[in-house]
Amino acid sequence: MRRVLIFGAGYSGRAIGRALAPQADFLAGTTRSADNAEALSRLGIRPLLYAGEGFGGETKQALQEATHLIISIAPGEGGDPVLADLRALSGGIPNLEWVGYLSTVGVYGDHGGAWVDEESECRPSSSRSRQRLEAEDAWLTFGRQTGVPVAILRLPGIYGPGRNAFVNFSEGTARRIVKPGQVFNRIHVEDIAGATRHLMRMKAGGIFNLSDEEPAPAQDVVAYAARLMGMDPPPEVPFDQADLSPMGRSFYSECKRVSNGKLKASGYELRYPNYRHALEAIWKAGDWRGESAANML
């Protein structure tokens, strides 16, 4: 019996919910806004309001029954809000069997384009990545203290229906920014859902990189999307001439190639091992705007 509670039922959380819904006896997800409740309900996810400042009555009841938790809420300066509220919860979570925590490959920091795996040194350079690493450690400590397996799922750039280069073209925001030697890993949202379901079934604990198998320059992805759309790609823009936000510029300050060997060794095979397969599938399906996914956020 699986009774699943997803903290942070946004883009990735909703995809995980759709993947788990057929096997779950109970499936709930939190949102900060009541405006999102209807969209969650249409996906078969019971909506719960949670803003990281204590659990309401319905959320407390769901925690009493939950066997599996998915955490997809970013930490802040004060740490992970869900974990802080759990520590203040009387009675704990009596039926808990497994926790999955969605983190980021940003915790590795810059490795000069070298390959990294789960044993590589973490040297995060941004405050948000340092907070993620601290939250990972806190959840792993929670697992050791409770005897509950905790899987840390480190994610690179997330894309899929509604979030992809085709959308960027339609909105006039597609750019080919070129920084020699720069590559990024990516992960399709359906592979986040599939890998989470796989690790949940295994009750796997520890750290796993949920990344694709072909780190590639960002400009190559834009050019490939343009080719599929039958359009000319936008002109290349040298990185030092690109008008990027501080956050956008920070992404280009780190370069690494992320290995998913541990995930594959666990028995999971990516549905979309590289951006070309994924973009081709998204374009062929005709749902690149994500309209059939019940307004994923």
Side-chain angles (χ1 to χ4, degrees):
M1 183 171 67
R2 294 188 179 92
R3 302 183 68 83
V4 183
L5 176 52
I6 302 170
F7 279 97
Y11 188 71
S12 298
R14 293 181 187 208
I16 292 170
R18 290 194 303 276
L20 297 179
Q23 295 86 32
D25 298 285
F26 173 83
L27 179 62
T30 71
T31 176
R32 298 176 63 91
S33 171
D35 294 339
N36 296 327
E38 183 179 348
L40 290 179
S41 295
R42 289 200 300 270
L43 293 173
I45 302 173
R46 178 182 173 185
L48 300 171
L49 289 178
Y50 176 68
E53 300 172 347
F55 301 130
E58 285 188 292
T59 305
K60 287 182 179 178
Q61 181 59 41
L63 284 165
Q64 287 295 306
E65 301 175 6
T67 58
H68 299 75
L69 297 184
I70 308 293
I71 314 299
S72 184
I73 293 179
E77 293 183 0
D80 186 276
V82 178
L83 193 51
D85 287 337
L86 284 179
R87 287 169 175 157
L89 183 67
S90 61
I93 314 176
N95 300 306
L96 188 61
E97 299 177 8
W98 185 82
V99 176
Y101 179 76
L102 274 59
S103 185
T104 170
V105 298
V107 299
Y108 292 116
D110 181 39
H111 283 257
W115 284 95
V116 297
D117 61 20
E118 292 81 358
E119 301 299 322
S120 298
E121 178 187 2
C122 290
R123 40 195 191 216
S125 59
S126 68
S127 60
R128 65 182 181 276
S129 293
R130 288 192 292 270
Q131 290 166 1
R132 282 289 189 183
L133 188 59
E134 291 169 0
E136 287 185 6
D137 291 341
W139 275 107
L140 290 171
T141 298
F142 170 86
R144 289 191 294 269
Q145 292 172 341
T146 59
V148 173
V150 174
I152 304 297
L153 315 179
R154 290 177 175 166
L155 310 176
I158 302 167
Y159 69 115
R163 292 190 182 185
N164 52 68
F166 306 124
V167 173
N168 296 341
F169 270 103
S170 72
E171 296 178 349
T173 60
R175 304 175 70 190
R176 282 200 298 162
I177 299 172
V178 179
K179 183 179 181 182
Q182 181 73 44
V183 295
F184 297 99
N185 281 87
R186 298 157 186 84
I187 188 69
H188 192 289
V189 70
E190 289 185 16
D191 275 316
I192 296 175
T196 300
R197 180 177 57 192
H198 166 76
L199 295 171
M200 176 186 290
R201 287 172 175 170
M202 294 177 57
K203 293 187 179 179
I207 299 171
F208 295 86
N209 292 330
L210 271 57
S211 62
D212 66 359
E213 298 174 1
E214 189 176 324
Q219 66 269 21
D220 290 3
V221 178
V222 176
Y224 197 75
R227 174 183 168 187
L228 291 172
M229 298 176 81
M231 299 175 58
D232 292 329
E236 293 187 347
V237 178
F239 173 75
D240 57 6
Q241 298 177 22
D243 183 18
L244 290 171
S245 67
M247 180 173 289
R249 190 163 290 275
S250 72
F251 288 131
Y252 279 85
S253 70
E254 300 176 0
C255 185
K256 52 192 164 283
R257 291 171 165 83
V258 182
S259 169
N260 65 7
K262 184 177 178 181
L263 178 66
K264 291 180 67 177
S266 76
Y268 184 76
E269 289 292 334
L270 291 178
R271 182 172 180 180
Y272 301 106
N274 60 57
Y275 71 88
R276 293 184 305 280
H277 289 169
L279 290 180
E280 289 165 6
I282 293 170
W283 185 249
K284 183 177 180 180
D287 187 35
W288 51 272
R289 293 184 184 275
E291 295 168 348
S292 68
N295 300 317
M296 291 189 301
L297 297 181

